Amino acid sequence: MKKTFLIILIVIVVLVGAVIAIPILFKQNLIDAAKNTLNKRLNAEVEFADLKLSLFRNFPQATVELSQLSIKGNNEFKNDTLLRVDLVQTKMDLSSLFKRSEMSIEEIILERPEIKLLVSESGSANWDISLPQTAASASAEPTQSDADEFQLQLNKIEIRNATLLYSDKESNMNLALKDVNSSISGNMYDATSKLQSEGTVGDFSLAYENVTYISKTSLSVHTLLDVDFDTMKFTITENEFLVNRLPLQLSGSVAVPNDTTFVDLQLKTKDSDFENFLALVPPVYESYLKEVTTTGSANISGIIKGYYYDENYPSFNLKLEVSNGDFQYADLPEKIKNITADVLIDKPQGDLDLTQIKINEAHAEIRNNPVDLTLKILHPVSDPYFDGAFVGKINLSHLKGALPIDSVNMSGVIDANLFAKGNYSDVEAEAYQKVQSDGIVLLDNFVFDSPDLTQKIVVPNGQLDFSPESIHLRGLNVHIGQSDFRLSGKVSNYLNYLFKEGVLQGNLQLNSSLVNLNELLRLQKRPETQSDKTAPKKENSGPTPDAEAEVLAFDVPKNIDITFKSNIKNAWFDRLLITDISGSIQVVDEKLLLNNLNMNTLDGGLKMNGSYKNTGQNQPLFDFGFDMASLDIPMMYKTLSGVRSIMPAASNSTGKLSSNLTFKGRLSPQLKLIPATANGVGSLSTQSLEINNSPIFNQLGGILKKEKLKNVKVDDFKANFILTDGNLLLTPFTTRVIGQETKIAGSLNAESLLDMRFDFNVERELFGPDIQKILAVIPGNQKITMLPAGVLIKGPVGEPKVNMDLSATQKAVTEATKDDLKKSLDKLGEGLKKLFK
């Protein structure tokens, strides 16, 4: 008994040891087999992070897991990943682990695979990764070792959370299947079999020539297939196919006996209720179809038949027919009625360019306002030929009464009558005379009001005339808040802009009686943050930090080249009133260009040239030139906050300021200058400048007569300056201050720190009584009629410190009283020190 128990225990220990040891002993065997097989068959870079073998999970079968598998192409696709799989899990017979050949795989599970199929502009495909065969190898029979490397005895293939992306740069087509889950089960190694296939696609999208034809569409399929693996023919015996929620029936067969694929499939709707047709609406919009009543019928049917080889595609015929369709929301007063449609997509066997798309009829009505559309498209791949018309009158108030457009408020009437016929190649070549087109769109009391906007957009009236070449705007009036615009002129190349990412070009006349830039820069509402919702509201607390951080920087649209010849009577920017604006404003290359823009402001004239372009950081780049003529200094101080910060003395000044300035740099998100980024050159001049009750000049009361310092007159002057990284350097210049010759030089740095020097030549009679007393006791003082005096002004612009430099004064006194200097110099020095202590 003990002996039997001991034998059983030894067997258990050996088996457990084997189960533990086998994954370790044979792991490298599997890795070598996998890598060798892949490298022999693929012209690509194959990588995987790890390979794990488990005998416990599905004993007595072995489970092999390959993690982080990736396949990258070579040559022009060397940076593109063809396949990436987080985890590949397989089950195989345990005996396969003991063989370097004759390995079999019974089940495959792919976790989160991502397949990227790419076709380059030259037509090369990244999935063409098979190694080229030599003539000998191509004609030779497979060897026994080749045949025995792997044997597929599959019962199940499962794909979880997959993504398939297809991008064809040659034809400009993009297709995406996201959130794909699929499983195929059945004996896949017998000559014939029945396979159960189930799958779902969460998001199917298709775009061609930059136009999105399908998006946010879900697919679901449940199919039973009869399979003949000898002829590779798959016959659909049972099928349930859902496009979004629309049930379709798919029947027929697909055969792949060789390089050619033969297709014979039929598609049709299970029933013809118009309600089922609405199921084509993508799931993301399904909430809009709740409590909708419908009548009418709708049918979808199609046939795909023929073969596929190289660029030769099978024929297909897809029909959509809608008749007597009505639908109405339960809580809305209006009905969309008399909906009819007759749509055909047809192609014979052959090239895809033989496809024809025909909308023979598409009609709908709201009240008594009908809308009709017809369209025919031929040769969609090579050179699309189009022939279409749109005729309709849409009362937006009625439309809002029929559709739950809750996010926006629209009203007014759009009356359109448009048709076009021709080849798109003629549009691209701008051979518009070969294209037949005409049309007109009338706008009447159009109003657009959105929660995302701070102001309504109102078009009281307007007319747009369409031709293949251009759109003519005839008296298009637009009101946005207090601003009004009257636009006329021509916009061209709009077809290339809409369909080919071409550049929209235009020359427009813009007239306005008022443009309120304060409103327009805040037209888009700032998204409300959580802190905005929870912060307590305070009354009369002044601007909040969030308000001060308000983003006013704006992007200029791309693919636009439109010039506005402007005539604006009045405009407001901050507290600045600008009048009689004329000149050219151009929108091009994501820039705003100002060309010879003349205007009146601050009781003077201003001419502007320059450019503006936003950045990803909302710190716009600018390059401006200003020519300012006779701007009123008191008005500048009251109106412009920048003047108040750098020229506080202007608060009590009178006179005119002119300047010529060219500089560039960056603006903050609030459209304020970032000083350290500014670089440029310029000049400034004054006319009739008088500085009254200046704190700086009041500090000179110790040496000059105080009554002369109350109203300081400065003679007209012109000064040049250089701006480097926000630091302004003033080139020395000479003028007369209080009638006294004065040399001025200095700088203002990017931190608003002032460093100025005034060198006066002061007539003796202007010195104050204290200086007069000192001079009176100096022997030979009658020779002194004028003395130099230096004034240093340093510190923050708002509160600089004023100091005297009397070194030149002492030297002048020395020169004037050489004979008596020995006796009087010490006395003079002590007196001056005492005076300016």
Side-chain angles (χ1 to χ4, degrees), residues 385-440:
Y385 170 84
F386 55 88
D387 182 358
F390 178 87
V391 179
K393 188 173 185 180
I394 302 173
N395 187 310
L396 295 174
S397 296
H398 298 166
L399 181 65
K400 186 173 176 60
L403 297 176
I405 310 174
D406 299 326
S407 59
V408 297
N409 182 23
M410 294 189 298
S411 61
V413 176
I414 300 175
D415 193 351
N417 190 333
L418 304 167
F419 79 88
K421 180 194 296 187
N423 289 93
Y424 194 76
S425 59
D426 293 328
V427 176
E428 289 185 302
E430 299 184 9
Y432 298 114
Q433 71 279 3
K434 298 181 180 180
V435 179
Q436 301 178 40
S437 176
D438 197 1
I440 184 172

Side-chain angles (χ1 to χ4, degrees), residues 558-751:
K558 65 178 182 179
N559 295 339
I560 299 287
D561 184 1
I562 297 180
T563 299
F564 298 89
K565 295 180 180 178
S566 305
N567 188 347
I568 302 171
K569 292 300 181 183
N570 299 283
W572 282 101
F573 179 66
D574 198 7
R575 294 188 296 177
L576 180 65
L577 175 63
I578 308 170
T579 63
D580 297 327
I581 303 171
S582 63
S584 172
I585 302 173
Q586 186 177 12
V587 179
V588 61
D589 295 332
E590 299 183 70
K591 288 183 179 180
L592 188 65
L593 303 181
L594 308 179
N595 300 312
N596 295 323
L597 206 61
N598 293 284
M599 62 198 76
N600 297 324
T601 185
L602 300 173
D603 204 25
L606 173 62
K607 182 178 181 180
M608 290 180 62
N609 286 281
S611 65
Y612 164 101
K613 182 176 183 179
N614 201 11
T615 65
Q617 299 76 34
N618 273 334
Q619 292 187 351
L621 301 171
F622 71 88
D623 188 350
F624 286 140
F626 296 93
D627 189 356
M628 297 176 279
S630 302
L631 303 186
D632 186 74
I633 293 176
M635 293 180 67
M636 290 175 64
Y637 181 86
K638 293 176 183 178
T639 306
L640 304 177
S641 58
V643 172
R644 292 195 296 272
S645 62
I646 66 173
M647 296 174 57
S651 62
N652 298 314
S653 300
T654 60
K656 301 285 187 177
L657 174 69
S658 299
S659 179
N660 189 296
L661 170 63
T662 302
F663 75 125
K664 59 184 177 180
R666 286 179 179 264
L667 301 174
S668 73
Q670 294 74 44
L671 296 183
K672 295 182 179 180
L673 175 66
I674 301 176
T677 68
N679 291 276
V681 295
S683 64
L684 61 89
S685 59
T686 61
Q687 302 90 44
S688 305
L689 176 60
E690 185 174 310
I691 304 173
N692 303 315
N693 296 320
S694 168
I696 294 177
F697 282 103
N698 288 340
Q699 295 183 55
L700 303 180
I703 59 171
L704 300 176
K705 292 180 179 180
K706 292 184 178 181
E707 62 271 17
K708 295 290 185 178
L709 298 173
K710 289 182 179 180
N711 300 309
V712 177
K713 293 183 178 180
V714 180
D715 284 8
D716 296 350
F717 67 85
K718 182 177 181 180
N720 298 314
F721 58 85
I722 299 174
L723 193 60
T724 306
D725 297 332
N727 301 303
L728 187 148
L729 179 63
L730 188 64
T731 303
F733 68 95
T734 300
T735 185
R736 299 183 70 84
V737 180
I738 327 176
Q740 311 304 300
E741 183 180 292
T742 307
K743 184 178 181 181
I744 303 173
S747 64
L748 175 66
N749 70 12
E751 285 75 35

Side-chain angles (χ1 to χ4, degrees), residues 791-802:
V791 176
L792 302 177
I793 305 173
K794 293 185 177 182
V797 169
E799 297 179 351
K801 292 184 178 180
V802 179

